Amino acid sequence: MSPSSSGSTRTAPKSRADSGIQHFSDPWPNQLREPATLSLALMLISSKAFMAQGTGVPSSSSLLPSMAASRRSLLLLLLLLAASCAAHPARGEGLLTDGFTAVELTEAQFKVQKPYDVPLAERYELLAGGVRRMWVYAADKPITAAHPGGPRTEIKIELVYSSGVWQFEGYGYIPCGTSGASVMQIFGAAEHATTLMLHVYDGRLTYYHDVAAGVVDAGIYDRWFRLNVIHDVAASNVTVFVDGERRLTAPGRGGDSHYFKFGVYGQSNNGMSYRMESRWRDVKVFTKCS
């Protein structure tokens, strides 16, 4: 490794043999992703069970002690299950980073790139809880007067790597209406600018601008999602996970200098919305040897 200062039942993968890209669909409905939903469901079940026990009970008093014991056992079981859900807030939490070492990042390594002609406060703000909110308009200027790229407000993690296995982890939020924007990328490749870009089009998170076969998540709007992206430089592959579920494997694109970026970067393919925004928190980088 050579960093410088500046890691249920799944439906069958949809393979694209011509490109080496595989997509994995999400078998969990959005509303079942949240542990609070599971805990609430368990509590409702216990409530219903007790209400049901209050009707149709035989008059024999000899049955009452055993029924009471059964109700207590049921309540204990349900409470234990609810506690288990609360203790494991997301599927795959921690498992994806097992075997990796967290990289200590300073605030100075989160470098904001914004339109060159507007103040930082008009395109970026740091909210309570460490939430980084970034937005940009389709008519905005690039990051410098000489830069050929489109409008963006992105954070470049100033940690360059050329070997080993590296993982980006962060919690993202894309508000409804944002479309035609890259929200995360691995910069650097042999014959391209990037090894990976994840775009948003009309509520879909996609691999680059492939809105047909490249959908990574079909319902990304208005919810916090956990994104893990693992880049194995030597094996030349990238794997993308959303909420702990593998959604994409793609080949690497070569190159010997890479770093992670996140935010919003307007894309000309498929059109971009007038205003684009994304929010991020708890962004971390992990690494391990190949």
Side-chain angles (χ1 to χ4, degrees), residues 16 45 47 56 63-64 71 82 93 108 117 119 128 138 165 174 183 185 190 194 197 200 203 228 238 246 249 252 288:
R16 296 171 64 191
I45 290 170
S47 175
L63 294 178
L64 295 179
R71 289 197 295 269
E93 185 75 50
D117 61 340
V165 184
I174 315 297
V183 295
Q185 59 177 296
T194 61
M197 294 184 81
V200 172
N228 293 76
V238 176
R246 182 170 59 166
T249 58
K288 68 178 180 179

Side-chain angles (χ1 to χ4, degrees), residues 56-262:
V57 178
S59 58
S60 174
S61 59
S62 63
L63 294 178
L64 295 179
S66 61
M67 290 180 61
S70 297
R71 289 197 295 269
R72 285 195 297 269
S73 298
L74 176 62
L75 176 60
L76 179 60
L77 175 61
L78 292 173
L79 289 176
L80 288 173
L81 288 171
S84 176
C85 290
H88 299 83
R91 290 172 292 127
E93 185 75 50
L95 297 179
L96 294 177
T97 57
D98 284 354
F100 285 79
T101 299
V103 178
E104 184 175 351
L105 298 173
T106 66
E107 184 60 29
Q109 288 175 278
F110 290 86
K111 182 179 179 180
V112 181
Q113 298 178 329
K114 60 163 186 68
Y116 70 85
D117 61 340
V118 297
L120 178 65
E122 293 184 13
R123 295 295 183 272
Y124 169 84
E125 63 178 341
L126 185 60
L127 303 174
V131 175
R132 302 174 189 273
R133 177 173 172 254
M134 291 161 275
W135 65 99
V136 73
Y137 296 91
D140 275 346
K141 304 291 187 187
I143 58 176
T144 68
H147 199 281
R152 75 184 77 189
T153 303
E154 289 184 301
I155 288 180
K156 169 189 175 182
I157 299 179
E158 294 199 312
L159 179 71
V160 178
Y161 62 91
S162 59
S163 61
V165 184
W166 293 79
Q167 180 173 176
F168 169 96
E169 179 180 76
Y171 291 80
Y173 183 98
I174 315 297
C176 182
T178 293
S179 189
S182 169
V183 295
M184 189 273 168
Q185 59 177 296
I186 300 174
F187 192 84
E191 298 180 0
H192 303 82
T194 61
T195 289
L196 171 75
M197 294 184 81
L198 295 176
H199 294 186
V200 172
Y201 295 106
D202 299 320
R204 292 168 292 178
L205 186 68
T206 68
Y207 178 70
Y208 287 92
H209 53 268
D210 188 349
V211 296
V215 177
V216 176
D217 191 286
I220 208 67
Y221 278 161
D222 295 337
R223 68 180 184 88
W224 283 102
F225 59 93
R226 181 165 59 102
L227 180 68
N228 293 76
V229 176
I230 300 175
H231 182 198
D232 188 329
V233 179
S236 189
N237 61 55
V238 176
T239 309
V240 177
F241 299 82
V242 178
D243 295 325
E245 291 287 335
R246 182 170 59 166
R247 302 294 182 80
L248 171 76
T249 58
R253 293 176 138 192
D256 58 5
S257 180
H258 307 279
Y259 53 83
F260 299 117
K261 301 183 76 176
F262 61 98

